[in-house]
Amino acid sequence: MKAAFQCWAAAMLVATAAHADEAAVRATLQRTFPNAVPELRKAPVGGLVEAAIDGQVFYVSEDGRYILGGPLVDVTANRNLTEDRLAQVNAIPFDKLTLDWSIKLVKG
């Protein structure tokens, strides 16, 4: 019973720390980009959180102290991870577009 409680307490401590990190990241982004609503997710590199803001991608340290802007490159795989993410962030969902304002081509 005591071991189960210790495991539960450790899990709650980790969950609280993770929540505090997200709060620090959001506070930093709010100070830097006051009118933006960032979409956050874990970055492919440890210690960083990825923030998509207005069609751009930024990387923020988990404690919210540092913001990095620019390409994040995986040199082993020779891939620009930021470019891949930008393609997802800026993708146009054509299946969700309405055709009311589209240009119609008519022959005849």
Side-chain angles (χ1 to χ4, degrees), residues 1-14:
M1 180 72 172
K2 186 176 181 181
F5 177 74
Q6 289 173 340
C7 288
W8 176 81
M12 292 306 292
L13 183 63
V14 169

Side-chain angles (χ1 to χ4, degrees), residues 90-99:
N90 296 319
I92 298 172
F94 288 105
D95 57 334
K96 303 251 191 284
L97 296 177
T98 62
L99 299 177

